[in-house]
DNA sequence: AAGTGGTCTAGACCACTTT
DNA sequence: AAGTGGTCTAGACCACTTC
């Protein structure tokens, strides 16, 4: 399995399928292990290859990837098979199709994306203007819980960013963001403050770390005094305590957030099907 | 082949209402040489027809729908077009495919489904056994806020169900469920208490109301005294206040819930991509 | 063996965008 | 006009389930 080339076709599986286009079964490499006839359909193999390319930054966020027909030729499969791959990646918000233009790598730069990860909505009226103040940014050794969340060893280098978010001038969120030190080498308070736009767009543009998925764990707690001070509220006000763990392409955790949401004028919105 | 991409009417194999719907779709001819009104692609028209059939209860939850080849014949399209429709409905959890067996109408009876709408997870360890106590069920006139949520007129008949949920014997959730009176005529405390299984399974089996999607709005509040009493906690304990609005096939709201979650040993889990 | 969903192909044409 | 994604077809074969 040559890892030297991601664009070139995986010789083992794909050229074989080209030769035996009619007899696909011949291509299906049953995983030589004894665990039964598990095979990977072509579109899965190709999805893996394309995901690898994205992981390695071969096509960067906002750029276009090759057309369906080009990819079909490259992988020696039909356009329909490539389509199925792109359909899936588009439904995962990893790629984005634009009819007549091409297929693009999704990015956090777009306005519609920014709202997908902002679950806080005003109880009434339209969304207010958001203001973000970076209070601090320091390089520390990862505490045990942070290290476990990020898949680091306790004591590894980590970055801690503290912020205050306000909506329409009202302080509403206080949070603490933890990042792995190695991936975010060179992050400073100044760079954070000078960047305009969403944090994830900053991460993706400046550090090549693209967040594609995240988990949140929410509970209700009384405001600790430090948090109450930041938000300008009285201690023991009930707040939402939101822990967010974000993941990048590879499924690697890339950010851990501990946030406090004031929900007197806002609420946390969640929809499911 | 119909180059106009309009469904033919096949009277034999369809119910009267389905035929009506189909005829309606057939009217949408691509009449325009110059950027006239948009017409739906075939698979959208077919998706609408199938959704209508589900709405009308032509195939009930848990039952199988006709095979892909049968549907393709009925609608006079290729199997691939039917596949695309079913793919979408399956991704929305409205249908469920089972290889070698057929395609089935999704149901709340299944264990894996029950967890999709239960966002409360233990902070540590595996999920504990859940116990549901129905405290009361009464027929009332809908208060203004409930009426607005459910799309009723204030004062319309409504049902109010109050419950207490416990996990591993620990009271954790107190909620109040509001249902439209007409759709749930005949619901009584006894029937609720005698039914084993998830509430949505009960609704779908006994009242033909299938919940397919819901929205939740979460905030942090101090426990009111009535709630504190039900949960056996001290008043003013911070709780999650969760308002849920559920929708049925047609997009019609069919349930409004006001719940209080104790999050000392549990948290509200949310994942997004 | 028959029936179901799952994968794949090759080719056609449509709609949209850019040149 | 050329290139892109979007829809649709007809047919093949595979994997899984049931009879």
């Amino acid at each position: 399995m040559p890892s030297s080339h991601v664009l070139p076709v995986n010789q083992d599986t794909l050229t074989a399928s080209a030769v035996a286009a009619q007899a696909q079964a011949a291509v299906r490499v049953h995983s030589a292990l004894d665990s039964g006839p598990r095979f990977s359909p072509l579109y899965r193999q190709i999805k893996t290859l394309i995901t690898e390319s994205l992981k390695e930054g071969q096509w960067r966020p906002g750029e276009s990837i090759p057309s369906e027909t080009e990819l079909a030729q490259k992988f020696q499969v039909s356009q329909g098979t490539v389509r199925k791959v792109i359909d899936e990646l588009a439904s995962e918000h990893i790629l984005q199709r634009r009819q007549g233009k091409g297929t693009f790598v999704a990015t956090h730069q777009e306005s519609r994306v920014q709202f997908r990860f902002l679950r806080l909505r005003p109880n009434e009226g339209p969304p207010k203007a958001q203001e973000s103040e970076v209070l601090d940014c320091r390089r520390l050794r990862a505490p045990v819980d942070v290290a476990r969340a990020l898949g680091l060893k306790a004591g590894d280098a980590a970055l801690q960013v503290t912020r205050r978010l306000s909506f329409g001038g009202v302080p509403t969120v206080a949070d603490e963001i933890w990042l792995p030190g190695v991936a975010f080498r060179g992050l400073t308070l100044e760079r954070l403050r000078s960047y305009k736009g969403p944090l994830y767009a900053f991460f993706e543009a400046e550090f090549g770390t693209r967040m594609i998925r995240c988990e949140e764990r929410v509970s209700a707690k009384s405001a600790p005094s430090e948090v109450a001070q930041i938000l300008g509220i009285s201690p023991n006000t009930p707040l939402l305590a939101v822990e967010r763990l974000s993941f990048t392409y590879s499924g690697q955790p890339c950010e851990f957030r501990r946030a406090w949401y004031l929900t007197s004028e806002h609420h946390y919105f969640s929809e499911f099907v």
Side-chain angles (χ1 to χ4, degrees), chain A:
Chain A
M1 177 74 95
S3 64
S4 56
H5 52 342
V6 178
L7 269 177
V9 172
N10 178 325
Q11 299 281 343
D12 286 340
T13 52
L14 293 173
T15 49
S17 75
V19 170
Q22 200 72 3
Q24 304 150 15
V27 189
R28 296 295 181 277
V29 185
H30 292 48
S31 64
L33 307 163
D34 57 347
S35 59
R38 274 270 166 277
F39 68 91
S40 216
L42 269 181
Y43 77 88
R44 281 247 158 267
Q45 300 177 40
I46 293 172
K47 187 177 178 182
T48 302
L49 292 177
I50 291 180
T51 304
E52 296 283 339
S53 293
L54 289 167
K55 209 182 294 181
E56 294 169 12
Q58 181 166 346
W59 307 302
R60 314 210 49 170
E63 290 180 3
S64 71
I65 71 170
S67 73
E68 294 180 353
T69 51
E70 278 182 272
L71 289 171
Q73 269 199 331
K74 173 184 299 180
F75 294 129
Q76 292 292 295
V77 297
S78 75
Q79 191 199 355
T81 300
V82 170
R83 257 196 95 69
K84 172 138 181 142
V85 175
I86 296 180
D87 277 346
E88 288 196 2
L89 290 170
S91 79
E92 298 166 29
H93 301 112
I94 288 174
L95 295 178
Q96 189 193 12
R97 328 189 70 141
R98 295 182 206 156
Q99 184 170 9
K101 290 180 162 181
T103 301
F104 298 77
V105 183
T107 169
H108 286 280
Q109 304 281 2
E110 298 160 34
S111 58
R112 56 166 211 83
V113 175
Q114 298 169 26
F115 284 92
R116 228 176 53 230
F117 295 97
L118 178 64
R119 297 250 155 156
L120 208 54
R121 298 188 175 184
N123 291 341
E124 289 174 9
K128 302 259 192 306
Q130 178 184 347
E131 185 194 0
S132 165
E133 297 167 79
V134 180
L135 305 177
D136 198 6
C137 172
R138 44 178 83 178
R139 182 166 293 267
L140 300 169
R141 296 189 174 279
V144 183
D145 52 347
V146 171
R148 189 175 46 219
L150 289 177
L152 304 175
K153 284 193 278 289
D156 278 359
L159 283 153
Q160 184 205 45
V161 179
T162 50
R163 301 187 308 169
R164 168 170 53 195
L165 304 184
S166 302
F167 296 90
V170 181
T172 306
V173 173
D175 66 9
E176 176 182 279
I177 300 173
W178 289 89
L179 304 165
V182 284
F184 288 85
R185 189 179 307 285
L187 178 64
T188 62
L189 185 56
E190 291 71 39
R191 290 180 69 186
L192 273 169
R193 284 189 168 152
S194 63
Y195 188 85
K196 304 302 172 206
L199 201 55
Y200 288 131
F202 175 65
F203 292 166
E204 133 190 330
E206 306 276 323
F207 297 93
T209 295
R210 173 162 166 75
M211 194 276 268
I212 59 162
R213 186 180 78 79
C214 76
E215 299 174 348
E216 289 193 339
R217 292 170 175 81
V218 183
S219 54
K221 287 180 181 154
S222 291
S225 57
E226 321 87 69
V227 174
Q229 197 171 352
I230 292 175
L231 295 179
I233 56 176
S234 59
N236 300 326
T237 303
L239 298 180
L240 286 189
V242 181
E243 285 191 354
R244 172 187 292 190
L245 191 57
S246 302
F247 299 87
T248 187
Y249 285 122
S250 50
Q252 181 72 22
C254 58
E255 184 208 50
F256 178 62
R257 266 185 209 201
R258 243 192 292 257
W260 299 86
Y261 293 3
L262 175 63
T263 55
S264 41
E265 302 298 328
H266 294 76
H267 61 265
Y268 182 95
F269 183 84
S270 178
E271 184 176 18
F272 32 117
V273 292

